[in-house]
Amino acid sequence: MIRSLRLRLAIGASIAIGLVLLVVWLSLSRLFTDYVVGRYRAEMATLVDTIAAQVAVRDGEIVLPREPADPRLNLPAGGRYWQITRDNGAPIRSRSLWDTVIDRDRPSAPHHLGFLEVEGPDGASVLVHQQTLTFGEGPDARRFSVAAGFARGELDDALAAFHSQIRLMLVATAFVLAGAAFLQGAVGLSPLVRLREQAARVRSGEEKDFGSAGPTEVQPLIAEINLLLSEREAALAQARARASDLAHGLKTPLTVIAQLAESLPREERRIALEQVDLVRQRADRQLQAARMGVERMATTSIASLGGKLVNVLRPITAERNVVWEVEIDPSISLDLDPADLAECLGNLLDNAAKWARTRIRLSAEAADGRVRIAVGDDGPGVAEGDREQVLRRGAHGEDTEGNHAASTGLGLAISADIADAYGAVLSLGQSSLGGLEAVLTFDTGGGRRRPRGPA
């Protein structure tokens, strides 16, 4: 199945042009052939009439006292021929026939374009037009036939010359029409190109919808797309509001649970407070995403988003005097949902803020068609054998010093899920600062999000 509209139009135009030019070729060829054959037939009929007008009867025999004056009739194989065939006696012939006799009664004689075809004095074909006439009336009437002919080569050359010229003309016409069809396709499809550019601007967040401009034929499509975008924007706004309401709604119950947990035994209190802190972190992440208000596909600046996330998390580490280092080229960007990227990168920064001792580094670089975002800290890190495990939901690992619970077991798993949904990769390694380094690797253009389960 052909998916390209431009190719479909080109094939359709080529077929139409080919059929039209074929009809033109056949029609013009037929018309010109009929015209040329008619001219030769008229010439031969005139020659027959001229000869018949000169016929006389002497001593009971048909004679021709005076021959036509055309010099081609007096030259052997001169190109014009005549012959009078009598009932009694040898035929009377033009000198151009030399010793050739036109046998009009030969049953197997071929015909060409309505003419009898015979062999001429030079071996070439001669096309003959003949008529049977009667001279006189009553018992003295004499029947005879007059044949006039011409070299078939003349007719063939005339038709060949015409066909050669008309062939060149039709080929030139085909090129002109093909160019016109290509131009028509380009002009006709240009509104779709503009719609594609407008779609790119909508996707990057520069425009909210497709506007109202465009050809009449695509206006219904534009209206439907605008309505779809409007409904999607409303649904996203509602989803953000619900996420924010849910996150805020969890604050009070979590505070109450934390207060009640203070009355529990030490070990149970530690477990309960750890779980409360886990839920609170998740709620904070949703609040941050809701506050940013970026829940649709757009061209996302890594430096801008990273700066916002660092500003949100910096106060959390202020008491420990943690230094934040941000090394991001402002020109680096990704085409994906900023809210997803904010949640993915925010979890990594949140994890670094939790375990860093004095320094956290956020960096991003673009090379070889990929964007590499790295979050490193100088905390205890994660043992190499546990790095795959901590990317799974609910899993914990040991740090490089052998201590348990080097990660929350949720934030990194969520980031890994989001990265996977966009075809990216989240990998863990040893940071140059001494702790854990989490690296997100995206294709330069980002990508469309694939459906994923709820976090």
PDB file of all heavy atoms in Angstrom, residues 114-143:
ATOM      1  N   GLY A 114      -6.659   0.614 -48.396  1.00  0.00           N
ATOM      2  CA  GLY A 114      -7.666   0.751 -49.446  1.00  0.00           C
ATOM      3  C   GLY A 114      -7.105   0.730 -50.850  1.00  0.00           C
ATOM      4  O   GLY A 114      -7.873   0.807 -51.816  1.00  0.00           O
ATOM      5  N   PHE A 115      -5.815   0.589 -51.020  1.00  0.00           N
ATOM      6  CA  PHE A 115      -5.175   0.530 -52.335  1.00  0.00           C
ATOM      7  C   PHE A 115      -4.738  -0.909 -52.606  1.00  0.00           C
ATOM      8  O   PHE A 115      -4.358  -1.648 -51.698  1.00  0.00           O
ATOM      9  CB  PHE A 115      -3.940   1.433 -52.400  1.00  0.00           C
ATOM     10  CG  PHE A 115      -4.247   2.902 -52.307  1.00  0.00           C
ATOM     11  CD1 PHE A 115      -4.055   3.583 -51.115  1.00  0.00           C
ATOM     12  CD2 PHE A 115      -4.710   3.605 -53.413  1.00  0.00           C
ATOM     13  CE1 PHE A 115      -4.326   4.930 -51.019  1.00  0.00           C
ATOM     14  CE2 PHE A 115      -4.982   4.961 -53.326  1.00  0.00           C
ATOM     15  CZ  PHE A 115      -4.798   5.624 -52.121  1.00  0.00           C
ATOM     16  N   LEU A 116      -4.782  -1.276 -53.902  1.00  0.00           N
ATOM     17  CA  LEU A 116      -4.212  -2.553 -54.318  1.00  0.00           C
ATOM     18  C   LEU A 116      -2.691  -2.413 -54.317  1.00  0.00           C
ATOM     19  O   LEU A 116      -2.150  -1.437 -54.845  1.00  0.00           O
ATOM     20  CB  LEU A 116      -4.709  -2.918 -55.720  1.00  0.00           C
ATOM     21  CG  LEU A 116      -4.111  -4.188 -56.339  1.00  0.00           C
ATOM     22  CD1 LEU A 116      -4.574  -5.416 -55.584  1.00  0.00           C
ATOM     23  CD2 LEU A 116      -4.487  -4.292 -57.822  1.00  0.00           C
ATOM     24  N   GLU A 117      -2.013  -3.356 -53.697  1.00  0.00           N
ATOM     25  CA  GLU A 117      -0.558  -3.285 -53.612  1.00  0.00           C
ATOM     26  C   GLU A 117       0.071  -4.278 -54.583  1.00  0.00           C
ATOM     27  O   GLU A 117      -0.205  -5.479 -54.526  1.00  0.00           O
ATOM     28  CB  GLU A 117      -0.091  -3.584 -52.185  1.00  0.00           C
ATOM     29  CG  GLU A 117       1.403  -3.389 -51.987  1.00  0.00           C
ATOM     30  CD  GLU A 117       1.828  -3.526 -50.522  1.00  0.00           C
ATOM     31  OE1 GLU A 117       0.946  -3.819 -49.686  1.00  0.00           O
ATOM     32  OE2 GLU A 117       3.023  -3.347 -50.241  1.00  0.00           O
ATOM     33  N   VAL A 118       0.881  -3.749 -55.508  1.00  0.00           N
ATOM     34  CA  VAL A 118       1.562  -4.577 -56.500  1.00  0.00           C
ATOM     35  C   VAL A 118       3.035  -4.239 -56.493  1.00  0.00           C
ATOM     36  O   VAL A 118       3.476  -3.251 -55.894  1.00  0.00           O
ATOM     37  CB  VAL A 118       0.966  -4.361 -57.912  1.00  0.00           C
ATOM     38  CG1 VAL A 118      -0.512  -4.721 -57.951  1.00  0.00           C
ATOM     39  CG2 VAL A 118       1.179  -2.923 -58.372  1.00  0.00           C
ATOM     40  N   GLU A 119       3.818  -5.059 -57.201  1.00  0.00           N
ATOM     41  CA  GLU A 119       5.253  -4.819 -57.282  1.00  0.00           C
ATOM     42  C   GLU A 119       5.546  -3.916 -58.460  1.00  0.00           C
ATOM     43  O   GLU A 119       5.077  -4.136 -59.588  1.00  0.00           O
ATOM     44  CB  GLU A 119       5.991  -6.142 -57.446  1.00  0.00           C
ATOM     45  CG  GLU A 119       7.508  -5.991 -57.433  1.00  0.00           C
ATOM     46  CD  GLU A 119       8.223  -7.327 -57.522  1.00  0.00           C
ATOM     47  OE1 GLU A 119       7.562  -8.357 -57.285  1.00  0.00           O
ATOM     48  OE2 GLU A 119       9.423  -7.327 -57.833  1.00  0.00           O
ATOM     49  N   GLY A 120       6.328  -2.867 -58.225  1.00  0.00           N
ATOM     50  CA  GLY A 120       6.664  -1.905 -59.266  1.00  0.00           C
ATOM     51  C   GLY A 120       7.844  -2.336 -60.105  1.00  0.00           C
ATOM     52  O   GLY A 120       8.464  -3.385 -59.861  1.00  0.00           O
ATOM     53  N   PRO A 121       8.240  -1.507 -61.105  1.00  0.00           N
ATOM     54  CA  PRO A 121       9.335  -1.864 -62.017  1.00  0.00           C
ATOM     55  C   PRO A 121      10.688  -1.959 -61.316  1.00  0.00           C
ATOM     56  O   PRO A 121      11.586  -2.638 -61.799  1.00  0.00           O
ATOM     57  CB  PRO A 121       9.320  -0.742 -63.042  1.00  0.00           C
ATOM     58  CG  PRO A 121       8.634   0.393 -62.363  1.00  0.00           C
ATOM     59  CD  PRO A 121       7.630  -0.231 -61.456  1.00  0.00           C
ATOM     60  N   ASP A 122      10.854  -1.283 -60.188  1.00  0.00           N
ATOM     61  CA  ASP A 122      12.118  -1.329 -59.443  1.00  0.00           C
ATOM     62  C   ASP A 122      12.059  -2.307 -58.275  1.00  0.00           C
ATOM     63  O   ASP A 122      12.945  -2.319 -57.419  1.00  0.00           O
ATOM     64  CB  ASP A 122      12.500   0.056 -58.948  1.00  0.00           C
ATOM     65  CG  ASP A 122      11.404   0.680 -58.084  1.00  0.00           C
ATOM     66  OD1 ASP A 122      10.316   0.071 -57.976  1.00  0.00           O
ATOM     67  OD2 ASP A 122      11.630   1.768 -57.523  1.00  0.00           O
ATOM     68  N   GLY A 123      11.020  -3.116 -58.213  1.00  0.00           N
ATOM     69  CA  GLY A 123      10.860  -4.088 -57.139  1.00  0.00           C
ATOM     70  C   GLY A 123      10.185  -3.521 -55.908  1.00  0.00           C
ATOM     71  O   GLY A 123       9.854  -4.274 -54.978  1.00  0.00           O
ATOM     72  N   ALA A 124       9.999  -2.201 -55.848  1.00  0.00           N
ATOM     73  CA  ALA A 124       9.339  -1.577 -54.705  1.00  0.00           C
ATOM     74  C   ALA A 124       7.825  -1.678 -54.853  1.00  0.00           C
ATOM     75  O   ALA A 124       7.294  -1.866 -55.956  1.00  0.00           O
ATOM     76  CB  ALA A 124       9.759  -0.121 -54.578  1.00  0.00           C
ATOM     77  N   SER A 125       7.114  -1.537 -53.735  1.00  0.00           N
ATOM     78  CA  SER A 125       5.662  -1.657 -53.751  1.00  0.00           C
ATOM     79  C   SER A 125       5.027  -0.418 -54.379  1.00  0.00           C
ATOM     80  O   SER A 125       5.490   0.718 -54.189  1.00  0.00           O
ATOM     81  CB  SER A 125       5.121  -1.832 -52.329  1.00  0.00           C
ATOM     82  OG  SER A 125       5.560  -3.062 -51.790  1.00  0.00           O
ATOM     83  N   VAL A 126       3.970  -0.678 -55.123  1.00  0.00           N
ATOM     84  CA  VAL A 126       3.185   0.384 -55.742  1.00  0.00           C
ATOM     85  C   VAL A 126       1.739   0.219 -55.291  1.00  0.00           C
ATOM     86  O   VAL A 126       1.192  -0.898 -55.319  1.00  0.00           O
ATOM     87  CB  VAL A 126       3.271   0.336 -57.283  1.00  0.00           C
ATOM     88  CG1 VAL A 126       2.306   1.344 -57.906  1.00  0.00           C
ATOM     89  CG2 VAL A 126       4.692   0.603 -57.751  1.00  0.00           C
ATOM     90  N   LEU A 127       1.139   1.314 -54.853  1.00  0.00           N
ATOM     91  CA  LEU A 127      -0.261   1.301 -54.423  1.00  0.00           C
ATOM     92  C   LEU A 127      -1.106   1.805 -55.585  1.00  0.00           C
ATOM     93  O   LEU A 127      -0.855   2.874 -56.149  1.00  0.00           O
ATOM     94  CB  LEU A 127      -0.451   2.175 -53.188  1.00  0.00           C
ATOM     95  CG  LEU A 127       0.349   1.750 -51.955  1.00  0.00           C
ATOM     96  CD1 LEU A 127       0.048   2.672 -50.774  1.00  0.00           C
ATOM     97  CD2 LEU A 127       0.066   0.297 -51.561  1.00  0.00           C
ATOM     98  N   VAL A 128      -2.143   1.031 -55.918  1.00  0.00           N
ATOM     99  CA  VAL A 128      -2.907   1.275 -57.142  1.00  0.00           C
ATOM    100  C   VAL A 128      -4.357   1.555 -56.814  1.00  0.00           C
ATOM    101  O   VAL A 128      -4.971   0.866 -55.983  1.00  0.00           O
ATOM    102  CB  VAL A 128      -2.816   0.052 -58.086  1.00  0.00           C
ATOM    103  CG1 VAL A 128      -3.695   0.269 -59.324  1.00  0.00           C
ATOM    104  CG2 VAL A 128      -1.371  -0.185 -58.495  1.00  0.00           C
ATOM    105  N   HIS A 129      -4.908   2.595 -57.489  1.00  0.00           N
ATOM    106  CA  HIS A 129      -6.344   2.899 -57.457  1.00  0.00           C
ATOM    107  C   HIS A 129      -6.876   2.666 -58.859  1.00  0.00           C
ATOM    108  O   HIS A 129      -6.322   3.189 -59.835  1.00  0.00           O
ATOM    109  CB  HIS A 129      -6.556   4.363 -57.051  1.00  0.00           C
ATOM    110  CG  HIS A 129      -7.971   4.823 -57.197  1.00  0.00           C
ATOM    111  ND1 HIS A 129      -8.984   4.437 -56.362  1.00  0.00           N
ATOM    112  CD2 HIS A 129      -8.556   5.654 -58.127  1.00  0.00           C
ATOM    113  CE1 HIS A 129     -10.114   5.010 -56.723  1.00  0.00           C
ATOM    114  NE2 HIS A 129      -9.877   5.746 -57.811  1.00  0.00           N
ATOM    115  N   GLN A 130      -7.948   1.894 -58.996  1.00  0.00           N
ATOM    116  CA  GLN A 130      -8.435   1.547 -60.322  1.00  0.00           C
ATOM    117  C   GLN A 130      -9.941   1.690 -60.409  1.00  0.00           C
ATOM    118  O   GLN A 130     -10.649   1.576 -59.418  1.00  0.00           O
ATOM    119  CB  GLN A 130      -8.019   0.139 -60.708  1.00  0.00           C
ATOM    120  CG  GLN A 130      -8.519  -0.954 -59.759  1.00  0.00           C
ATOM    121  CD  GLN A 130      -8.014  -2.326 -60.142  1.00  0.00           C
ATOM    122  OE1 GLN A 130      -7.247  -2.463 -61.108  1.00  0.00           O
ATOM    123  NE2 GLN A 130      -8.426  -3.348 -59.412  1.00  0.00           N
ATOM    124  N   GLN A 131     -10.388   1.946 -61.647  1.00  0.00           N
ATOM    125  CA  GLN A 131     -11.809   2.086 -61.930  1.00  0.00           C
ATOM    126  C   GLN A 131     -12.121   1.359 -63.232  1.00  0.00           C
ATOM    127  O   GLN A 131     -11.313   1.363 -64.177  1.00  0.00           O
ATOM    128  CB  GLN A 131     -12.198   3.567 -62.084  1.00  0.00           C
ATOM    129  CG  GLN A 131     -12.233   4.327 -60.775  1.00  0.00           C
ATOM    130  CD  GLN A 131     -12.682   5.761 -61.008  1.00  0.00           C
ATOM    131  OE1 GLN A 131     -11.859   6.652 -61.155  1.00  0.00           O
ATOM    132  NE2 GLN A 131     -13.991   5.979 -61.032  1.00  0.00           N
ATOM    133  N   THR A 132     -13.309   0.740 -63.297  1.00  0.00           N
ATOM    134  CA  THR A 132     -13.781   0.090 -64.534  1.00  0.00           C
ATOM    135  C   THR A 132     -14.777   1.030 -65.209  1.00  0.00           C
ATOM    136  O   THR A 132     -15.738   1.485 -64.567  1.00  0.00           O
ATOM    137  CB  THR A 132     -14.445  -1.256 -64.227  1.00  0.00           C
ATOM    138  OG1 THR A 132     -13.482  -2.109 -63.596  1.00  0.00           O
ATOM    139  CG2 THR A 132     -14.936  -1.923 -65.508  1.00  0.00           C
ATOM    140  N   LEU A 133     -14.543   1.304 -66.487  1.00  0.00           N
ATOM    141  CA  LEU A 133     -15.346   2.290 -67.218  1.00  0.00           C
ATOM    142  C   LEU A 133     -15.915   1.659 -68.489  1.00  0.00           C
ATOM    143  O   LEU A 133     -15.451   0.610 -68.964  1.00  0.00           O
ATOM    144  CB  LEU A 133     -14.487   3.507 -67.573  1.00  0.00           C
ATOM    145  CG  LEU A 133     -13.775   4.198 -66.398  1.00  0.00           C
ATOM    146  CD1 LEU A 133     -12.768   5.233 -66.901  1.00  0.00           C
ATOM    147  CD2 LEU A 133     -14.786   4.856 -65.473  1.00  0.00           C
ATOM    148  N   THR A 134     -16.890   2.322 -69.061  1.00  0.00           N
ATOM    149  CA  THR A 134     -17.505   1.892 -70.317  1.00  0.00           C
ATOM    150  C   THR A 134     -17.455   3.053 -71.294  1.00  0.00           C
ATOM    151  O   THR A 134     -17.852   4.176 -70.948  1.00  0.00           O
ATOM    152  CB  THR A 134     -18.958   1.440 -70.100  1.00  0.00           C
ATOM    153  OG1 THR A 134     -18.978   0.377 -69.146  1.00  0.00           O
ATOM    154  CG2 THR A 134     -19.572   0.956 -71.407  1.00  0.00           C
ATOM    155  N   PHE A 135     -16.979   2.773 -72.502  1.00  0.00           N
ATOM    156  CA  PHE A 135     -16.903   3.806 -73.541  1.00  0.00           C
ATOM    157  C   PHE A 135     -17.963   3.508 -74.587  1.00  0.00           C
ATOM    158  O   PHE A 135     -17.988   2.418 -75.178  1.00  0.00           O
ATOM    159  CB  PHE A 135     -15.522   3.804 -74.180  1.00  0.00           C
ATOM    160  CG  PHE A 135     -15.331   4.931 -75.157  1.00  0.00           C
ATOM    161  CD1 PHE A 135     -14.936   6.191 -74.731  1.00  0.00           C
ATOM    162  CD2 PHE A 135     -15.567   4.727 -76.522  1.00  0.00           C
ATOM    163  CE1 PHE A 135     -14.764   7.214 -75.639  1.00  0.00           C
ATOM    164  CE2 PHE A 135     -15.401   5.774 -77.433  1.00  0.00           C
ATOM    165  CZ  PHE A 135     -15.004   7.010 -76.989  1.00  0.00           C
ATOM    166  N   GLY A 136     -18.854   4.441 -74.816  1.00  0.00           N
ATOM    167  CA  GLY A 136     -19.897   4.256 -75.812  1.00  0.00           C
ATOM    168  C   GLY A 136     -21.121   3.600 -75.212  1.00  0.00           C
ATOM    169  O   GLY A 136     -21.181   3.302 -74.003  1.00  0.00           O
ATOM    170  N   GLU A 137     -22.141   3.372 -76.103  1.00  0.00           N
ATOM    171  CA  GLU A 137     -23.402   2.796 -75.674  1.00  0.00           C
ATOM    172  C   GLU A 137     -23.837   1.699 -76.633  1.00  0.00           C
ATOM    173  O   GLU A 137     -23.429   1.661 -77.792  1.00  0.00           O
ATOM    174  CB  GLU A 137     -24.484   3.880 -75.604  1.00  0.00           C
ATOM    175  CG  GLU A 137     -24.200   4.962 -74.572  1.00  0.00           C
ATOM    176  CD  GLU A 137     -25.320   6.000 -74.542  1.00  0.00           C
ATOM    177  OE1 GLU A 137     -26.243   5.878 -75.367  1.00  0.00           O
ATOM    178  OE2 GLU A 137     -25.249   6.925 -73.699  1.00  0.00           O
ATOM    179  N   GLY A 138     -24.688   0.878 -76.157  1.00  0.00           N
ATOM    180  CA  GLY A 138     -25.278  -0.153 -76.988  1.00  0.00           C
ATOM    181  C   GLY A 138     -24.280  -1.221 -77.383  1.00  0.00           C
ATOM    182  O   GLY A 138     -23.304  -1.481 -76.676  1.00  0.00           O
ATOM    183  N   PRO A 139     -24.481  -1.817 -78.574  1.00  0.00           N
ATOM    184  CA  PRO A 139     -23.607  -2.910 -79.016  1.00  0.00           C
ATOM    185  C   PRO A 139     -22.166  -2.476 -79.220  1.00  0.00           C
ATOM    186  O   PRO A 139     -21.243  -3.280 -79.163  1.00  0.00           O
ATOM    187  CB  PRO A 139     -24.240  -3.366 -80.341  1.00  0.00           C
ATOM    188  CG  PRO A 139     -25.655  -2.887 -80.277  1.00  0.00           C
ATOM    189  CD  PRO A 139     -25.637  -1.611 -79.479  1.00  0.00           C
ATOM    190  N   ASP A 140     -21.974  -1.191 -79.441  1.00  0.00           N
ATOM    191  CA  ASP A 140     -20.617  -0.699 -79.694  1.00  0.00           C
ATOM    192  C   ASP A 140     -19.874  -0.304 -78.415  1.00  0.00           C
ATOM    193  O   ASP A 140     -18.737   0.205 -78.478  1.00  0.00           O
ATOM    194  CB  ASP A 140     -20.670   0.522 -80.638  1.00  0.00           C
ATOM    195  CG  ASP A 140     -21.240   0.153 -82.001  1.00  0.00           C
ATOM    196  OD1 ASP A 140     -21.015  -0.990 -82.434  1.00  0.00           O
ATOM    197  OD2 ASP A 140     -21.893   1.014 -82.607  1.00  0.00           O
ATOM    198  N   ALA A 141     -20.512  -0.499 -77.294  1.00  0.00           N
ATOM    199  CA  ALA A 141     -19.871  -0.085 -76.032  1.00  0.00           C
ATOM    200  C   ALA A 141     -18.642  -0.952 -75.757  1.00  0.00           C
ATOM    201  O   ALA A 141     -18.626  -2.149 -76.054  1.00  0.00           O
ATOM    202  CB  ALA A 141     -20.858  -0.215 -74.881  1.00  0.00           C
ATOM    203  N   ARG A 142     -17.608  -0.311 -75.221  1.00  0.00           N
ATOM    204  CA  ARG A 142     -16.363  -1.012 -74.908  1.00  0.00           C
ATOM    205  C   ARG A 142     -16.056  -0.810 -73.398  1.00  0.00           C
ATOM    206  O   ARG A 142     -16.091   0.304 -72.891  1.00  0.00           O
ATOM    207  CB  ARG A 142     -15.196  -0.461 -75.729  1.00  0.00           C
ATOM    208  CG  ARG A 142     -15.350  -0.657 -77.228  1.00  0.00           C
ATOM    209  CD  ARG A 142     -15.181  -2.148 -77.572  1.00  0.00           C
ATOM    210  NE  ARG A 142     -15.208  -2.345 -79.022  1.00  0.00           N
ATOM    211  CZ  ARG A 142     -16.297  -2.549 -79.735  1.00  0.00           C
ATOM    212  NH1 ARG A 142     -17.485  -2.605 -79.131  1.00  0.00           N
ATOM    213  NH2 ARG A 142     -16.219  -2.725 -81.046  1.00  0.00           N
ATOM    214  N   ARG A 143     -15.787  -1.957 -72.720  1.00  0.00           N
ATOM    215  CA  ARG A 143     -15.446  -1.889 -71.306  1.00  0.00           C
ATOM    216  C   ARG A 143     -13.921  -1.912 -71.161  1.00  0.00           C
ATOM    217  O   ARG A 143     -13.227  -2.645 -71.841  1.00  0.00           O
ATOM    218  CB  ARG A 143     -16.044  -3.080 -70.535  1.00  0.00           C
ATOM    219  CG  ARG A 143     -17.561  -3.023 -70.425  1.00  0.00           C
ATOM    220  CD  ARG A 143     -18.076  -4.261 -69.689  1.00  0.00           C
ATOM    221  NE  ARG A 143     -17.552  -4.372 -68.345  1.00  0.00           N
ATOM    222  CZ  ARG A 143     -18.026  -3.720 -67.288  1.00  0.00           C
ATOM    223  NH1 ARG A 143     -19.077  -2.908 -67.436  1.00  0.00           N
ATOM    224  NH2 ARG A 143     -17.478  -3.887 -66.109  1.00  0.00           N
TER     225      ARG A 143
END
